[in-house]
Amino acid sequence: MWKQKPSFRFEIDNFSEQKDRILSKIFVAGGCEWYLYVYPKGRYLADDHFSLYLHVANPTMLPTGWKRNVSLYFTLLNQSDKELCRSNIARCQVLDVKGPSWGFSKLFPLSKLQENGVLEKDRLIIEVYINLIEAVDGESGYVSKKEETMNINGFKVLASQITLVRNIFEEHPDIAVGLKSKNEVLKTAYMNVLIGLINTLNKPSHNHAETELTKADSELSELEEVGFKLDWLKSKLEEVVLERKKADVYGNTVMQLEERVKNLEQMENKMKRKIVECFLDRKKAKDDGSRVQTLEKRVNYLEAVDSSSRMDCLTLKSKSLEKKKVDDADGSRVQQLEENVKNLEVIVFDLKAKLEEGKEKTSCDGFLLVDDEVA
């Protein structure tokens, strides 16, 4: 009989951009672990179709001789949960070490997935429905040969698990009253899943990863579907999830405070650098001011010396010019006097010549008077 809800739901965002194969996270169905193997662009010779496979998780870790006998089918949906495709039901498929997976290489034409409006927001949703018929772990069954086992209320458990299983039945005597399967291997597998789930939820809440709690929720749902009565464990899971959320809130608060402290430390370091820079700038400005004052004094001194030198030069030039003027004036006067002397000498020479000429001709008294005056 098929379940009303899928064994697992896998959502792929940005589907049109996906090229390489995609692996889902590991999930539990029928007390066994599985994952989906998706080929968004098809596999091998089926590159024009969407390919999808169910794969047994960690097959190399299982004992020699393991096998899973299942019936399954897949559905493809869009963002609005509108069914795009439903595969045929694969009945009684045996998965083992030789063939740990089974699926459809040509589940749905890619051309139809690529049609406009088929995939809303480019999201594809995959649902797988699994009906586990038989599970065998090892040639002699699920139980290890290295450890003794004991039958407790129809469940074969390891010696190391006896105390825990007894406590479970003592505290919850009706836990397995509604169990549907009578297969010893399956019942043992279910009990081991239950024990693992209890151990997970008994850990401190801050040690729980989100994926671990998601897996725990999936395992709990699976165990309830096969007939286990686990209201008490469901309440425990809810408490753990709540504590985890509180831890996340606290952790986020701590992270925010740490971030603020980090920012404040950065601001403090920045302010310190600014203060040092201001101090150095002031020191530099002070040093530059002293240098400027020294240079100004030197410039003023040089300007004073230059001004004094210029004044001396001007004075010397002035004196030189005055002297030159005096010398030039004296020279001109001397030349004038010399010229006058020459003129006078010429006149005297001429007068003497005329006097001599007058004497020779016995000139008039005017000439003698002149001669007397000259004499």
Side-chain angles (χ1 to χ4, degrees):
M1 182 177 179
W2 295 101
K3 305 169 188 175
Q4 295 299 316
K5 60 182 293 188
S7 302
F8 181 64
R9 180 181 173 97
F10 184 37
E11 298 182 0
I12 303 175
D13 291 322
N14 303 315
F15 177 78
S16 61
E17 299 177 10
Q18 305 298 328
K19 296 181 180 179
D20 299 325
R21 62 187 180 182
I22 304 171
L23 303 183
S24 75
K25 68 179 182 180
I26 294 175
F27 62 93
V28 177
C32 302
E33 294 185 332
W34 317 83
Y35 66 88
L36 297 181
Y37 219 119
V38 181
Y39 291 87
K41 300 301 180 184
R43 184 184 184 190
Y44 303 130
L45 300 177
D47 56 0
D48 57 345
H49 279 71
F50 180 79
S51 303
L52 178 60
Y53 296 84
L54 175 68
H55 203 292
V56 175
N58 304 313
T60 58
M61 303 294 291
L62 297 175
T64 303
W66 68 268
K67 69 176 181 178
R68 305 284 186 266
N69 188 349
V70 298
S71 294
L72 71 144
Y73 71 90
F74 301 103
T75 61
L76 302 182
L77 306 96
N78 64 11
Q79 172 75 15
S80 300
D81 279 346
K82 178 182 177 182
E83 188 173 298
L84 306 176
C85 169
R86 179 185 292 263
S87 73
N88 295 326
I89 297 176
R91 300 186 183 278
C92 301
Q93 298 298 322
V94 177
L95 308 181
D96 54 21
V97 67
K98 295 180 180 179
S101 64
W102 200 94
F104 299 87
S105 61
K106 294 184 177 183
L107 180 60
F108 195 64
L110 291 176
S111 58
K112 291 187 178 180
L113 286 176
Q114 295 166 358
E115 289 179 0
N116 188 29
V118 173
L119 291 183
E120 299 172 355
K121 297 184 179 180
D122 203 18
R123 173 179 290 182
L124 178 67
I125 300 172
I126 302 170
E127 290 182 346
V128 57
Y129 294 79
I130 301 172
N131 181 25
L132 183 65
I133 301 170
E134 181 184 18
V136 176
D137 285 315
E139 295 175 351
S140 59
Y142 182 86
V143 182
S144 172
K145 296 178 182 179
K146 297 180 181 179
E147 193 171 358
E148 295 181 0
T149 63
M150 178 178 289
N151 190 303
I152 299 178
N153 291 10
F155 292 87
K156 188 178 289 187
V157 298
L158 300 176
S160 59
Q161 300 171 333
I162 292 174
T163 302
L164 176 59
V165 174
R166 279 178 175 171
N167 290 336
I168 292 174
F169 279 102
E170 286 177 3
E171 295 178 10
H172 310 281
D174 59 345
I175 185 174
V177 171
L179 187 62
K180 300 171 185 177
S181 177
K182 303 302 179 183
N183 183 289
E184 186 178 286
V185 174
L186 282 179
K187 290 175 65 177
T188 302
Y190 290 141
M191 180 54 68
N192 279 279
V193 172
L194 177 60
I195 291 172
L197 180 57
I198 292 172
N199 290 333
T200 296
L201 298 182
N202 282 336
K203 292 194 307 182
S205 58
H206 62 272
N207 289 338
H208 292 113
E210 184 177 351
T211 54
E212 190 175 31
L213 293 179
T214 301
K215 180 181 177 182
D217 182 65
S218 177
E219 290 175 342
L220 182 59
S221 298
E222 176 72 20
L223 291 173
E224 286 182 325
E225 287 178 2
V226 298
F228 282 96
K229 189 175 181 180
L230 300 173
D231 293 342
W232 57 277
L233 197 57
K234 191 172 185 178
S235 298
K236 176 67 175 178
L237 176 59
E238 291 173 353
E239 291 176 5
V240 171
V241 171
L242 182 60
E243 289 298 322
R244 168 58 195 271
K245 288 181 179 179
K246 290 180 179 178
D248 287 344
V249 172
Y250 174 77
N252 291 333
T253 303
V254 171
M255 289 177 62
Q256 290 174 0
L257 290 174
E258 289 177 345
E259 187 67 22
R260 288 183 64 187
V261 170
K262 183 178 178 181
N263 292 336
L264 289 173
E265 288 177 347
Q266 291 177 347
M267 288 177 64
E268 180 185 9
N269 293 332
K270 188 175 181 180
M271 292 300 295
K272 286 181 178 178
R273 288 196 298 269
K274 285 287 185 183
I275 291 172
V276 172
E277 289 174 1
C278 289
F279 175 77
L280 293 175
D281 289 342
R282 289 184 63 184
K283 187 171 185 278
K284 183 179 179 182
K286 186 176 180 181
D287 294 342
D288 290 345
S290 300
R291 290 183 62 193
V292 169
Q293 290 179 359
T294 303
L295 289 173
E296 286 179 346
K297 288 180 180 179
R298 291 184 63 187
V299 170
N300 291 336
Y301 172 76
L302 292 174
E303 287 179 346
V305 171
D306 182 65
S307 177
S308 177
S309 299
R310 289 185 179 182
M311 289 298 295
D312 292 342
C313 289
L314 289 173
T315 301
L316 290 173
K317 285 184 179 180
S318 177
K319 290 181 178 180
S320 177
L321 288 173
E322 289 177 359
K323 183 178 179 182
K324 184 177 181 183
K325 287 180 180 179
V326 171
D327 291 343
D328 290 345
D330 291 343
S332 299
R333 189 174 180 186
V334 169
Q335 288 179 0
Q336 186 177 6
L337 290 173
E338 287 178 348
E339 187 68 26
N340 291 337
V341 169
K342 285 182 180 181
N343 290 335
L344 290 172
E345 287 177 349
V346 171
I347 293 171
V348 171
F349 180 78
D350 288 342
L351 289 173
K352 284 182 177 182
K354 288 181 178 181
L355 179 60
E356 291 296 328
E357 184 179 352
K359 285 180 178 182
E360 291 176 356
K361 294 179 178 181
T362 314
S363 299
C364 62
D365 294 339
F367 288 104
L368 289 173
L369 292 172
V370 173
D371 183 55
D372 291 336
E373 293 173 0
V374 173

